[in-house]
Amino acid sequence: MPAMLTDVFRGHPIHLPHSHHQPDFTSLRELPDSYSWTPKDDILFAAAAAPSPPTAVDETIPFIDLDHPDAANQIGHACRTWGAFQIANHGVPLRLLQDIEFLTGSLFGLPVQRKLKAARSETGVSGYGVARIASFFNKQMWSEGFTITGSPLNDFRKLWPQLHLNYCDIVEEYEERMKKLASKLMWLALSSLGVSEEDVQWASLNSDSNWAQAALQLNHYPVCPQPDRAMGLAAHTDSTLLTILYQNNTAGLQVFRDDLGWVTVPPVPGSLVVNVGDLFHILSNGLFKSVLHRARVNQTRARLSVAFLWGPQSDIKISPVPKLVSPVDTPLYRSVTWTEYLQTKATHFNKALSMIRNHKEE
Ligand SMILES: C=C1C[C@]23C[C@@]1(O)CC[C@H]2[C@@]12CCC[C@@](C)(C(=O)O1)[C@H]2[C@@H]3C(=O)O
Ligand SMILES: O=C(O)CCC(=O)C(=O)O
Ligand SMILES: [Fe+2]
């Protein structure tokens, strides 16, 4: 049995530079110093868009209708240029999106003491706590999270002694739908590069995606007294093949483009955001860009998001598709399993990709 996502951080306990306790966000009228970010705490904190012509002001990630006959090429283009896009006609029922949003709101609305009953351990993946990347920053993020890997039954029983089974059903249905959608999106994106199932042996063995696994990350960004100085979730790329993100009707997600700076992804009710993760960047031999993104907060509305983080089972080695590597070149990256990559990231954070890059012989 290959190691599961649940075990990846056994040897990589999280060490937070600040107090481990979640504050009671609702009682704070002023941003405590430990939550006040400056460019010193994150070099890209204030990276504004470069002065640009007026037409570029509203530029944001592409919005793609999956029923459009040219959807595959549009997805491929978005993966190469932005590393992110939004989708409509994705087939996930609106009712299910509303259910997962309700579940998320209800979870974070519980009293802190109850949430802490399901606190994530230092070496664990699942449960309530701050994002794992918190250990790489001196300042704290204005958010709380809940990660689900495998069955949420044990944790949910602690959170909702009465209603946990209903909530487990919602998570199960959501993950089922997301798995199918993620696999569809991956093949659409690869087909735009002329890559088909025969070219990716490990993925084509099983058409029902039994080679994949996922984590669900629920995020809550409470209303913030001084949003300009706060950071909801600091800039990062996801380690996944693909991440499918649902955001409630409150802006906050931003993606980074070298030429544009931070660009806001406007919430479009009923649509989903798709991010290219580091493993897809590796698989595509660097053609698809894993998108640097972050979440900002605001003064009037709490924000919720649900990220479906999707990648291969832990025994699968990901390496650049041979078809995408020129015969005279070496592949850009060495092969790596998701577990190995997550462990590299747990130590080296945003340098993880460069750690597994093949460097040209001089
Ligand atoms: C599968 C995973 C991806 C993730 C680490 C994790 O084991 C579970 C949580 C995921 C998450 C969600 C918030 C942002 C992120 C960088 C983090 O700290 O935890 C991602 C991780 C990732 O993609 O590397
Ligand atoms: O809340 C968001 O919009 C981003 C969340 C995110 O990036 C993540 O959970 O990995
Ligand atoms: Fe993310």
Side-chain angles (χ1 to χ4, degrees):
M1 185 73 178
M4 303 292 286
L5 266 187
T6 334
D7 303 317
V8 295
F9 300 132
R10 281 251 151 102
H12 299 260
I14 186 172
H15 295 298
L16 296 172
H18 19 71
S19 132
H20 202 245
H21 301 289
Q22 285 288 351
D24 180 4
F25 292 106
T26 52
S27 65
L28 297 172
R29 294 279 162 268
E30 232 183 79
L31 201 63
D33 185 56
S34 58
Y35 286 85
S36 186
W37 291 59
T38 67
K40 217 167 54 304
D41 304 305
D42 173 3
I43 42 162
L44 291 174
F45 182 62
S52 50
T55 50
V57 166
D58 289 323
E59 202 164 354
T60 188
I61 61 172
F63 192 85
I64 299 171
D65 176 351
L66 289 191
D67 283 345
H68 193 283
D70 197 36
N73 285 325
Q74 292 176 13
I75 289 173
H77 187 257
C79 290
R80 276 179 278 121
T81 52
W82 287 87
F85 51 97
Q86 282 204 79
I87 49 175
N89 285 320
H90 44 64
V92 181
L94 190 60
R95 183 236 347 131
L96 188 56
L97 299 179
Q98 288 162 346
D99 283 352
I100 202 81
E101 180 177 331
F102 182 82
L103 177 156
T104 305
S106 147
L107 192 159
F108 292 115
L110 292 169
V112 183
Q113 286 317 317
R114 180 88 71 84
K115 290 185 274 196
L116 287 172
K117 285 187 193 299
R120 191 189 305 129
S121 75
E122 283 187 359
T123 53
V125 175
S126 298
Y128 174 72
V130 297
R132 249 200 100 82
I133 55 171
S135 61
F136 296 100
F137 298 93
N138 293 322
K139 293 295 163 105
Q140 288 183 259
M141 300 182 214
W142 195 261
S143 61
E144 51 185 343
F146 191 92
T147 315
I148 300 170
T149 49
S151 167
L153 184 65
N154 277 339
D155 280 341
F156 279 13
R157 199 184 276 129
K158 296 178 205 152
L159 296 173
W160 299 287
Q162 313 291 328
L163 290 170
H164 58 278
L165 289 178
N166 300 3
Y167 286 130
C168 286
D169 287 348
I170 295 174
V171 166
E172 197 179 323
E173 190 184 350
Y174 192 77
E175 288 184 335
E176 264 319 300
R177 292 282 188 163
M178 286 291 144
K179 246 185 227 169
K180 295 209 169 87
L181 178 59
S183 161
K184 173 177 170 173
L185 292 167
M186 180 179 86
W187 290 117
L188 282 170
L190 287 174
S191 72
S192 76
L193 300 176
V195 172
S196 63
E197 300 209 16
E198 301 88 73
D199 303 312
V200 192
Q201 289 298 324
W202 47 265
S204 47
L205 291 174
N206 237 307
S207 51
D208 60 359
S209 297
N210 276 343
W211 55 267
Q213 61 175 336
L216 206 60
Q217 171 76 20
L218 315 180
N219 300 303
H220 173 222
Y221 307 93
V223 165
C224 178
Q226 288 167 306
D228 293 348
R229 297 204 226 147
M231 180 59 74
L233 186 59
H236 66 280
T237 58
D238 295 339
S239 311
T240 54
L241 281 167
L242 288 174
T243 301
I244 304 177
L245 186 91
Y246 172 77
Q247 52 176 340
N248 73 346
N249 200 7
T250 304
L253 174 64
Q254 295 183 325
V255 299
F256 190 78
R257 274 255 307 240
D258 291 335
D259 53 341
L260 298 172
W262 287 108
V263 174
T264 297
V265 176
V268 179
S271 76
L272 295 164
V273 178
V274 183
N275 288 342
V276 170
D278 296 337
L279 292 185
F280 211 22
H281 174 81
I282 296 169
L283 185 70
S284 65
N285 199 36
L287 289 174
F288 294 155
K289 192 177 143 149
S290 53
V291 65
L292 189 65
H293 57 286
R294 69 179 185 183
R296 297 306 304 263
V297 294
N298 74 85
Q299 210 161 0
T300 50
R301 292 163 63 107
R303 181 165 180 272
L304 298 172
S305 73
V306 179
F308 176 78
L309 299 133
W310 184 75
Q313 291 278 3
S314 309
D315 55 344
I316 291 173
K317 286 267 187 195
I318 297 293
S319 48
V321 176
K323 225 185 192 174
L324 301 177
V325 182
S326 133
V328 295
D329 280 333
T330 34
L332 272 191
Y333 295 97
R334 294 193 294 281
S335 71
V336 66
T337 66
W338 196 11
T339 303
E340 288 161 353
Y341 190 72
L342 281 166
Q343 290 166 350
T344 307
K345 199 137 174 179
T347 323
H348 301 283
F349 187 41
N350 56 10
K351 298 199 176 65
L353 263 183
S354 66
M355 303 285 299
I356 55 155
R357 200 173 161 121
N358 278 324
H359 293 284
K360 273 207 169 136
E361 307 272 327
E362 291 302 320

